[in-house]
């Protein structure tokens, strides 16, 4: 099957400048790139035709030969290889156009890689989370080998260029019409291998060690809070920066207090007599004890507020502490207590001041 004219393929006239040819190829190649038309053989064939035409017209010598002789299967302008040559002008433009769009950017030399992030689960006491604290962490980390300085080669020797990737850190292979690039498995992207491995790290360049680190826990953290410690993760490869350390907080429950945002909640039991007559009671707080006056007739579940006794919210202000009154009903009473309670109940009935009496009064008022 005869090939179409290269100028016709790119849609340019025969006197088109190099810039016009490049612009035409860029526009048409973006339109019909196979990654934008998956499983479309026509798009792949069209893209291949464009690449072959541009390979001819982008090279001055090949363009001059084509203008004089046209297509020649075995000549300088022949396309018998079934694709374009890597390293040719079309390959460079292909990388320029599609590198950022489809991830085909060709890399030269080993790529600097950022180290992995680390996670550390830290459990705090309730008070430590509320007020903040300092904690020492003992972290297992991967660090450059102290014997070889991270090269992987025995001290006194130098690593050599990787024979598989020739020092680039990545290898390319043909997969159909496209070239696929991946990290070299032999050197793991470094581009260098140790001819004589370091005995300390066995050629790995890194060793597992433990690192002690003191961190400041800010006041007010809660379960699920994540603290980021920059640069304390795994070491980077090929000169890349280290990763980060993420400290994930878990807070133990408190035997007295519950936390609601920046407020603390506690249940305080009072006796029946204290609730009826009123009293001044002692209430625990995280700062020590505090005095609270409850008025006569305080009901079960009544909430009182102690201002500024909660969790720090911005380093200066604090939330409040909510005190929930729990009227303690005794399960056992002495004969004398029973006698007094029965007398109390009888007097209430005589005066019509009982909970049941008040309920009937409300029903009578509503229904007549």
């Amino acid at each position: 099957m005869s090939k179409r004219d290269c100028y016709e393929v790119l849609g340019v006239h025969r006197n088109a400048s190099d810039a016009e040819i490049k612009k035409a190829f860029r526009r048409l190649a973006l339109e019909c790139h196979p990654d934008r038309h998956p499983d479309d053989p026509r798009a792949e064939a069209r893209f291949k035709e464009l690449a072959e035409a541009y390979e001819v017209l982008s090279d001055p010598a090949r363009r001059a030969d084509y203008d004089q002789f046209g297509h020649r299967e075995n000549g300088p302008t022949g396309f018998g290889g079934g694709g374009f040559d890597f390293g040719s002008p079309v390959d460079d433009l292909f990388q320029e156009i599609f590198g950022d769009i489809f991830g085909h950017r060709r890399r030269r030399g080993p790529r600097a890689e950022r180290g992995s992030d680390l996670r550390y689960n830290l459990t705090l006491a309730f008070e430590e989370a509320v007020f903040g604290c300092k904690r020492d962490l003992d972290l297992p980390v991967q660090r450059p080998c102290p014997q070889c300085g991270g090269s992987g080669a025995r001290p006194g020797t130098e690593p050599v260029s990787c024979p598989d990737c020739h020092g680039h850190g990545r290898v390319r292979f043909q997969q159909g019409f496209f070239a696929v690039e991946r990290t070299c498995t032999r050197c793991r992207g470094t581009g260098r291998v140790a001819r004589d491995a370091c005995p300390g790290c066995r050629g790995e360049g890194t060793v597992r060690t433990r690192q002690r680190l003191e961190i400041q826990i800010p006041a007010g953290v809660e379960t699920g809070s994540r603290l980021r410690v920059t640069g304390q993760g795994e070491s980077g490869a090929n000169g890349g920066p280290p990763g980060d350390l993420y400290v994930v907080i878990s807070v133990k429950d408190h035997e007295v207090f519950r936390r609601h945002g920046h407020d603390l909640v506690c249940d305080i039991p009072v006796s029946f007599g204290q609730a009826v007559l009123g009293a001044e009671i002692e209430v625990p707080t995280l700062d020590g004890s505090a005095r609270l006056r409850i008025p006569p007739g305080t009901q079960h579940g009544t909430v009182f507020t102690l201002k500024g006794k909660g969790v720090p919210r911005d380093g200066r202000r604090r939330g409040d502490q909510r005190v929930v009154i729990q009227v303690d009903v005794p399960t056992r009473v002495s004969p004398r207590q029973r006698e007094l309670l029965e007398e109390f109940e009888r007097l209430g009935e005589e005066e019509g001041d009982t909970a049941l009496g008040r309920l009937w009064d409300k029903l009578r008022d509503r229904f007549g």
Side-chain angles (χ1 to χ4, degrees):
M1 181 178 177
S2 61
K3 293 180 181 291
R4 293 174 60 199
D5 180 75
C6 290
Y7 294 100
E8 179 184 345
V9 170
L10 294 177
V12 297
H13 56 77
R14 301 189 74 83
N15 294 326
S17 65
D18 292 342
E20 290 174 324
I21 292 173
K22 183 176 182 179
K23 182 178 179 181
F25 174 69
R26 184 189 291 266
R27 175 178 57 82
L28 295 171
L30 282 171
E31 290 178 0
C32 66
H33 192 279
D35 281 0
R36 288 186 171 177
H37 305 277
D39 303 322
D40 186 348
R42 291 180 300 178
E44 182 173 342
R46 172 63 172 151
F47 185 79
K48 179 178 178 181
E49 183 183 45
L50 287 169
E52 292 177 341
Y54 180 74
E55 185 175 15
V56 172
L57 300 185
S58 61
D59 185 291
R62 297 185 68 177
R63 180 178 179 182
D65 185 85
Y66 176 77
D67 288 342
Q68 183 176 0
F69 301 105
H71 289 292
R72 293 192 295 174
E73 290 300 322
N74 296 317
T77 59
F79 310 122
F84 53 84
D85 296 328
F86 297 108
S88 67
V90 68
D91 181 37
D92 293 337
L93 185 60
F94 177 85
Q95 299 294 336
E96 178 184 338
I97 296 174
F98 302 109
D100 294 331
I101 300 176
F102 301 113
H104 298 315
R105 177 73 66 187
R106 181 169 53 186
R107 305 186 184 277
R108 301 185 182 278
R111 175 179 58 182
E113 296 184 1
R114 180 179 179 276
S116 299
D117 293 332
L118 294 177
R119 171 181 173 137
Y120 188 94
N121 296 324
L122 179 62
T123 300
L124 299 177
F126 193 87
E127 292 87 344
E128 290 178 319
V130 170
F131 295 116
C133 62
K134 288 183 179 180
R135 293 294 293 268
D136 290 327
L137 308 184
D138 186 16
L139 306 172
V141 293
Q142 203 76 17
R143 291 288 183 257
C145 174
Q147 292 190 35
C148 65
S151 70
R154 181 182 292 273
T157 67
E158 294 292 334
V160 298
S161 179
C162 175
D164 290 1
C165 65
H166 306 291
H168 292 295
R170 302 181 70 81
V171 293
R172 309 184 73 198
F173 59 93
Q174 191 76 19
Q175 189 171 28
F177 177 66
F178 297 100
V180 179
E181 189 177 78
R182 59 173 171 77
T183 301
C184 177
T185 56
R186 183 165 184 174
C187 66
R188 297 188 297 277
T190 65
R192 310 272 285 175
V193 294
R195 180 176 295 168
D196 190 4
C198 169
C201 62
R202 299 180 181 180
E204 296 292 328
T206 59
V207 292
R208 203 71 175 168
T209 185
R210 304 195 72 83
Q211 174 177 312
R212 293 190 64 82
L213 179 68
E214 182 185 76
I215 64 170
Q216 177 68 49
I217 307 297
V221 296
E222 54 189 325
T223 295
S225 296
R226 293 204 320 164
L227 308 180
R228 178 184 177 187
V229 186
T230 304
Q232 294 299 325
E234 301 282 22
S235 298
N238 305 321
D244 298 330
L245 169 66
Y246 287 91
V247 181
V248 182
I249 301 296
S250 177
V251 182
K252 294 180 181 178
D253 292 334
H254 196 277
E255 58 184 4
V256 173
F257 300 103
R258 306 185 301 277
R259 180 171 173 178
H260 285 207
H262 289 94
D263 291 340
L264 295 178
V265 181
C266 66
D267 298 324
I268 299 298
V270 298
S271 68
F272 177 75
Q274 289 174 316
V276 172
L277 302 175
E280 186 175 279
I281 61 175
E282 191 171 359
V283 176
T285 75
L286 289 181
D287 301 304
S289 62
R291 303 297 295 179
L292 175 66
R293 179 71 186 177
I294 61 173
T298 295
Q299 300 298 305
H300 180 86
T302 301
V303 179
F304 296 95
T305 300
L306 298 177
K307 292 290 187 180
K309 294 297 184 179
V311 179
R313 65 173 70 243
D314 55 11
R316 291 174 296 178
R317 296 183 302 159
R318 290 175 61 179
D320 301 327
Q321 179 173 324
R322 311 292 182 187
V323 179
V324 184
I325 297 299
Q326 305 287 325
V327 178
D328 184 23
V329 178
T331 58
R332 294 181 180 180
V333 294
S334 67
R336 178 59 177 160
Q337 287 173 322
R338 177 178 292 277
E339 179 183 343
L340 292 173
L341 286 171
E342 289 174 348
E343 177 70 12
F344 178 84
E345 188 68 17
R346 184 182 62 79
L347 291 173
E349 290 176 353
E350 291 178 356
E351 297 175 4
D353 186 22
T354 64
L356 184 59
R358 289 192 295 271
L359 174 62
W360 281 112
D361 289 341
K362 289 180 181 180
L363 292 174
R364 280 192 292 267
D365 291 342
R366 176 172 297 185
F367 299 108

